[in-house]
């Protein structure tokens, strides 16, 4: 069975994220639901998924295949196309692309487009509502950005979809190495649940001095290097700094030597450093995070729409030999699915 851990009772909300466009997320989503077809699935997207045609390349795309009984999020136009094949469960408070979103249940096996709200808080609320309406597990078509539920603390697992469209084997290996290094950043344990919740909710840079957290007026380090240096001068020898936003190469070059305290990031994806620079940063700073990068599986789409063709066997062999400890599932291999 494909990814047997998916059936575990402890994992209720899962997201698929891709490192590039056309990474095979829809094909993977369909494969998971078909292999685990005894689960009553709830399905949503952080954008739009299952459209019949690629917006950029105008090539056919796979639609989302839902089994009878699945609960899903979509707009009214999509639901009208299915007629009696779906039952309307709830009109939501959210929109996507200016269209109202609804929750429905498939009364037959259907091929469809799915959607979802645009903000993280709304996505979390939508996934929770789908669960309350009867879904045993919620599968989310997500993305690696701060506007996606995939980087929130409400998920139980991430499945990383690696697509040949990202580049050649060397580029894919480097990006995969970077993401796995980010996934190795440990969670900060020296904190109470209440303080952790406060840090996540305020989304402001905070400094821990003399065992107390102090909120600053900075929402980001970008363009605030002078303010950060003054903050450190006014508060010498801090124990830790919480950084909710991006930590870029430019910030690192200007502030890296001054940030001698423990750095705690909202999510490892906040660390926007290149692969080699990231390795040096992790060794020197030993950063922590509040939300782990919980990658549970890696899949490969060895074909790439709109990109120079690569030999699928060569690409698979290159990645599997470079990461022998990982199970890299090629979603285009019939034997794997």
């Amino acid at each position: 069975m494909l990814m047997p851990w998916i059936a575990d009772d402890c994992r209720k909300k899962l997201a698929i994220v891709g490192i590039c466009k056309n990474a095979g997320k829809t094909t993977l989503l369909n494969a998971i639901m078909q292999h685990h077809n005894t689960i009553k699935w709830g399905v949503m997207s952080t954008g739009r998924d299952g459209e019949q045609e690629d917006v950029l390349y105008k090539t056919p795309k796979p639609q989302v295949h839902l089994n009878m009984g699945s609960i899903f999020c979509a707009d009214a136009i999509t639901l009208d196309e299915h007629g009696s094949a779906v039952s309307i469960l709830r009109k939501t408070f959210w929109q996507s692309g200016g269209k109202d979103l609804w929750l429905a249940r498939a009364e037959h096996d259907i091929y469809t487009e799915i959607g979802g709200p645009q903000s993280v808080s709304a996505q979390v609320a939508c996934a929770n509502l789908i669960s309350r309406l009867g879904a045993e597990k919620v599968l989310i078509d997500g993305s690696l950005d701060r506007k996606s539920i995939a980087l929130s603390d409400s998920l139980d697992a991430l499945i990383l979809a690696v697509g040949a469209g990202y580049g050649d084997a060397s580029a894919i290996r480097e990006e995969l190495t970077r993401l796995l290094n980010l996934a190795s950043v440990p969670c900060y344990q020296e904190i109470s649940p209440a303080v952790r919740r406060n840090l996540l909710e305020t989304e402001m840079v905070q400094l821990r001095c003399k065992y107390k957290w102090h909120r600053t007026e900075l929402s980001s380090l970008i363009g605030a290097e002078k303010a950060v240096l003054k903050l450190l001068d006014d508060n010498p020898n801090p124990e830790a700094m919480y950084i909710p936003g991006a930590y870029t190469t430019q910030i690192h070059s200007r502030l890296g030597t001054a940030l001698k305290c423990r750095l705690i990031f909202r999510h490892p994806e906040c660390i926007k450093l290149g692969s080699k620079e990231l390795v040096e940063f992790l060794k020197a700073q030993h950063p922590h995070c509040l939300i782990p990068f919980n990658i549970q599986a890696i899949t490969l789409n060895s074909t790439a729409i709109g990109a120079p063709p690569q030999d699928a066997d060569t690409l698979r062999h290159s990645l599997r030999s470079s990461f022998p400890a990982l199970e890299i599932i090629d979603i285009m291999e019939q034997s794997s699915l």
Side-chain angles (χ1 to χ4, degrees), residues 32-323:
I32 288 173
M33 288 190 291
Q34 297 310 308
H35 278 255
H36 297 274
N37 55 19
T38 60
I39 295 172
K40 185 175 180 180
W41 286 102
V43 187
M44 58 176 283
S45 175
T46 59
R48 181 185 177 195
D49 190 26
E51 59 271 35
Q52 294 185 5
E53 184 180 74
D54 184 271
V55 176
L56 179 61
Y57 298 110
K58 305 302 180 182
T59 53
K61 291 187 63 176
Q63 289 192 286
V64 175
H65 182 199
L66 298 179
N67 293 327
M68 182 178 63
S70 300
I71 297 172
F72 66 107
C73 182
D75 59 43
I77 295 175
T78 298
L79 297 180
D80 286 344
E81 292 174 351
H82 293 299
S84 62
V86 302
S87 294
I88 305 300
L89 300 179
R90 187 80 57 89
K91 180 181 180 181
T92 76
F93 300 103
W94 312 298
Q95 292 187 334
S96 179
K99 300 176 183 178
D100 292 334
L101 292 173
W102 299 70
L103 297 181
R105 181 177 58 242
E107 299 300 338
H108 305 283
D109 291 0
I110 61 171
Y111 289 89
T112 188
E113 185 176 314
I114 61 173
Q118 297 175 323
S119 72
V120 176
S121 59
Q123 291 163 17
V124 172
C126 185
N128 290 337
L129 180 56
I130 290 174
S131 295
R132 291 198 300 272
L133 290 173
E136 296 172 344
K137 293 178 182 286
V138 181
L139 187 56
I140 302 161
D141 166 63
S143 59
L144 288 175
D145 63 67
R146 289 202 66 189
K147 295 183 179 180
S148 169
I149 189 177
L151 300 187
S152 75
D153 61 349
S154 63
L155 290 181
D156 300 311
L158 280 176
I159 302 170
L160 184 65
V162 176
Y166 184 84
D168 60 19
S170 176
I172 294 173
R173 283 197 304 270
E174 183 173 347
E175 176 63 3
L176 188 51
T177 298
R178 186 186 72 85
L179 292 171
L180 292 172
N181 281 331
L182 289 178
S184 72
V185 175
C187 278
Y188 187 56
Q189 301 294 340
E190 302 170 23
I191 192 172
S192 69
V195 173
R196 178 182 181 275
R197 185 169 58 252
N198 177 67
L199 292 176
L200 290 173
E201 290 177 353
T202 58
E203 293 196 354
M204 303 291 286
V205 175
Q206 299 200 35
L207 208 60
R208 188 171 187 259
C209 302
K210 298 179 180 179
Y211 307 104
K212 290 185 179 181
W213 286 97
H214 303 272
R215 177 176 173 173
T216 73
E217 297 304 316
L218 302 174
S219 59
S220 171
L221 298 186
I222 298 176
E225 291 86 353
K226 291 182 179 179
V228 172
L229 292 174
K230 185 179 185 306
L231 181 67
L232 295 173
D233 285 339
D234 294 340
N235 300 274
N237 302 316
E239 293 107 33
M241 175 182 283
Y242 171 62
I243 304 173
Y247 185 86
T248 64
T249 294
Q250 185 177 40
I251 292 172
H252 184 55
S253 65
R254 294 180 178 180
L255 294 177
T257 57
L259 299 176
K260 298 179 181 179
C261 59
R262 172 163 289 172
L263 302 182
I264 303 167
F265 293 92
R266 178 185 179 274
H267 188 282
E269 257 291 297
C270 292
I271 308 173
K272 303 295 186 181
L273 302 178
S275 187
K276 293 181 180 178
E277 190 177 25
L278 175 63
V279 171
E280 296 174 357
F281 175 76
L282 296 180
K283 288 181 179 178
Q285 291 284 3
H286 303 287
H288 285 65
C289 63
L290 296 185
I291 302 172
F293 201 176
N294 191 12
I295 299 175
Q296 291 291 314
I298 297 173
T299 64
L300 171 66
N301 179 12
S302 55
T303 62
I305 299 174
Q310 298 188 51
D311 183 80
D313 290 335
T314 301
L315 179 59
R316 283 194 295 265
H317 176 73
S318 174
L319 295 181
R320 287 169 178 167
S321 60
S322 298
F323 304 97

